[in-house]
Amino acid sequence: IDPQLQGVKWIKQRLGEDLTILQFTMGNWLQKVIFNIQMGGQLLIEAVGAEIDAILEPVLARAVIKRGRSAMIIKIAGEEVDYDPKF
């Protein structure tokens, strides 16, 4: 909860161009989330209501599965997505 948007402004200033900003009302928001997870990007989701889409539950719970020695995946929307630990 950030009614004056001070936290959002600070994050945007600090991370600059490296930050992907999206809202659930944007088209293809899920593809942008998946891309950032795979590439280890930094993501800020704005204008989140009282409830968050259930598709993001594994991301919020950090439900990462380790495959082999170094491969990591996370299941989102029923599909396995490569997980970059920098995410």
Side-chain angles (χ1 to χ4, degrees), residues 16-44:
E17 296 294 319
D18 296 333
L19 181 66
T20 300
I21 301 168
L22 62 87
Q23 297 180 0
F24 292 128
T25 56
M26 295 172 67
N28 298 327
W29 66 265
L30 183 57
Q31 285 76 20
K32 292 177 184 179
V33 171
I34 290 171
F35 178 80
N36 277 277
I37 290 171
Q38 292 173 328
M39 298 299 158
Q42 298 169 341
L43 180 68
L44 175 67

